[in-house]
């Protein structure tokens, strides 16, 4: 069986370390920038507006992922260590918070620039699911998302956990990559602004994640199941409702506004570059000190862990 002994660091120079987990956010932010730059004429966005949108996406994804992790998954730890809340370099991000942050970014952008939010949301899910797919590869390398004990030959042995485990991070990465062409085809069949592609993403992502997470060993649970599973169920129900609504009462996609020539400017470019590079310093999806302590306690008290 595979022994999980991956080095989470890409490189270390003096006191600065760059991490594989954080690199997936960098790659995902580049994906957003590339996608909207390629499709800006179709959407009626200027170069400056593309950067404004991607800056908001990167910033609020980082804030949303961090806040969700603190408030939902690791509240007890941060209640005792409030000064660590803004220390991204300690680790701690949550995928549901990433989704909420992306949603908030589109709303803010649409209001500020007077653009139809549903058009941006339909378009955003394609690069968004790419970010989620590569994100789970980062989770596998850093070892923060693990499955339950398995006897299957591809089980993974972790040095701080008992028994071989399902590589659920890889399962979910495959699931997200499988959704990607479905969403791209949906966007061709139902143009941005109809809400169909957004609804399809919400349903498929959450419903399939709920199935995959049955094999996950959640560090945090509520009412007998992993805390994240409740959000998966809520998202799946919302996606199914929206999909039925938009198919029963289909919307006509609005005509894009003609883009006004507007050069991005140095400040926007510099801020985007900073936000693309900043996540490289995030080591893990769980706060390192907290996850190490929790797993140490589970090894010392296996009866209580079960």
């Amino acid at each position: 069986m595979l022994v999980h002994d991956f080095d989470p660091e890409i490189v270390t120079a003096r006191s600065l370390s760059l991490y594989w987990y954080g690199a997936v956010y960098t790659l995902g932010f580049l994906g957003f920038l590339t996608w909207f730059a390629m499709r800006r004429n179709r959407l009626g966005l200027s170069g400056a507006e593309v950067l404004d949108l991607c800056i908001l996406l990167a910033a609020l994804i980082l804030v949303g992922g961090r806040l969700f992790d603190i408030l939902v998954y690791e509240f007890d730890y941060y209640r005792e260590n409030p000064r660590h809340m803004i220390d991204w370099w300690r680790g701690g991000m949550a995928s549901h918070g990433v989704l909420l942050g992306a949603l908030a970014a589109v709303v803010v952008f649409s209001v500020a620039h007077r653009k139809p939010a549903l058009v941006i949301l339909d378009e955003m899910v394609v690069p968004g699911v790419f970010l989620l797919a590569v994100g789970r590869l980062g989770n596998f390398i850093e070892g923060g998302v693990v499955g339950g004990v398995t006897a299957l030959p591809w089980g993974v042995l972790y040095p701080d956990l008992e028994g071989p485990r399902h590589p659920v991070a890889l399962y979910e990465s495959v699931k997200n990559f499988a959704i990607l062409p479905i969403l791209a085809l949906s966007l061709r069949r139902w143009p941005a602004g109809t809400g169909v592609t957004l609804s399809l993403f919400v349903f498929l992502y959450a419903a399939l994640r709920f199935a995959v997470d049955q094999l996950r060993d959640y560090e945090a649970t509520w009412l007998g199941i992993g805390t994240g599973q409740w959000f998966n169920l809520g998202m799946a129900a919302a996606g199914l409702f929206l999909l039925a609504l938009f198919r029963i009462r289909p919307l006509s996609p609005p005509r894009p506004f003609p883009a006004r020539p507007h050069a991005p400017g140095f400040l926007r470019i510099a801020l985007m570059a900073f936000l693309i590079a900043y996540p490289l310093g995030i080591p893990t999806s769980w706060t390192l000190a907290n996850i190490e302590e929790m797993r140490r306690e589970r090894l010392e008290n296996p009866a209580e862990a079960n």
Side-chain angles (χ1 to χ4, degrees):
M1 291 186 175
L2 176 66
V3 176
H4 191 283
D5 58 356
F6 299 102
D7 187 348
E9 296 181 359
I10 302 173
V11 64
T12 299
R14 296 184 180 179
S15 60
L16 177 65
S17 296
L18 305 182
Y19 297 93
W20 292 109
Y21 175 75
V24 303
Y25 286 94
T26 293
L27 185 59
F29 294 164
L30 286 171
F32 279 121
L33 186 60
T34 302
W35 179 263
F36 284 109
M38 290 171 53
R39 297 176 69 85
R40 72 182 186 89
N41 290 331
R42 179 177 303 202
L43 298 173
L45 298 177
S46 68
E49 287 171 333
V50 167
L51 273 184
D52 285 346
L53 173 59
C54 292
I55 286 169
L56 282 168
L57 282 168
L60 294 186
I61 280 173
L62 290 172
V63 171
R66 183 68 171 164
L67 282 176
F68 200 95
D69 176 73
I70 291 171
L71 297 175
V72 177
Y73 291 125
E74 302 192 77
F75 182 75
D76 290 341
Y77 173 82
Y78 283 103
R79 182 174 55 189
E80 297 178 3
N81 302 276
R83 291 179 298 173
H84 296 175
M85 288 184 181
I86 61 173
D87 294 343
W88 262 267
W89 56 270
R90 295 180 186 273
M93 291 283 287
S95 54
H96 288 105
V98 165
L99 294 170
L100 290 173
L103 174 62
V106 172
V107 171
V108 172
F109 174 82
S110 299
V111 171
H113 291 271
R114 298 183 180 180
K115 302 291 184 181
L118 195 54
V119 171
I120 305 298
L121 287 169
D122 272 342
E123 286 280 347
M124 183 188 67
V125 297
V126 175
V129 81
F130 171 75
L131 167 60
L132 293 167
V134 296
R136 284 309 190 207
L137 294 178
N139 284 134
F140 180 70
I141 293 172
E142 54 98 1
V145 175
V146 300
V149 176
T150 180
L152 293 172
W154 55 81
V156 180
L157 290 168
Y158 292 83
D160 53 354
L161 290 171
E162 289 189 349
R165 303 293 179 125
H166 281 286
V168 289
L170 294 183
Y171 297 167
E172 181 141 357
S173 181
V174 170
K175 179 264 290 183
N176 290 335
F177 275 120
I179 293 173
L180 186 57
I182 297 174
L183 297 177
L185 289 172
S186 172
L187 204 53
R188 293 184 62 182
R189 173 65 178 83
W190 293 282
T194 60
V196 174
T197 303
L198 170 66
S199 305
L200 193 61
F201 161 73
V202 173
F203 173 70
L204 288 177
Y205 170 81
L208 294 176
R209 178 173 170 176
F210 181 84
V212 170
D213 278 9
Q214 295 296 317
L215 302 174
R216 180 173 171 178
D217 185 2
Y218 267 97
E219 302 289 350
T221 60
W222 186 55
L223 298 181
I225 66 173
T227 306
Q229 289 289 60
W230 293 103
F231 296 100
N232 292 335
L233 286 172
M235 280 184 64
L240 192 59
F241 171 78
L242 289 174
L243 191 59
L245 178 65
F246 288 134
R247 295 303 296 130
I248 293 171
R249 302 180 63 181
L251 299 175
S252 298
R255 292 182 179 180
F257 297 106
R260 294 175 297 175
H262 189 181
F266 174 77
L267 184 59
R268 283 186 174 93
I269 294 172
L271 182 55
M272 187 74 249
F274 170 77
L275 289 169
I276 286 172
Y278 186 80
L280 288 167
I282 304 176
T284 55
S285 55
W286 277 75
T287 305
L288 277 171
N290 191 28
I291 193 69
E292 289 171 358
E293 177 63 25
M294 293 171 69
R295 289 184 176 178
R296 184 163 53 249
E297 290 178 356
R298 292 176 69 176
L299 282 174
E300 293 172 356
N301 303 286
E304 293 182 12
N306 296 328

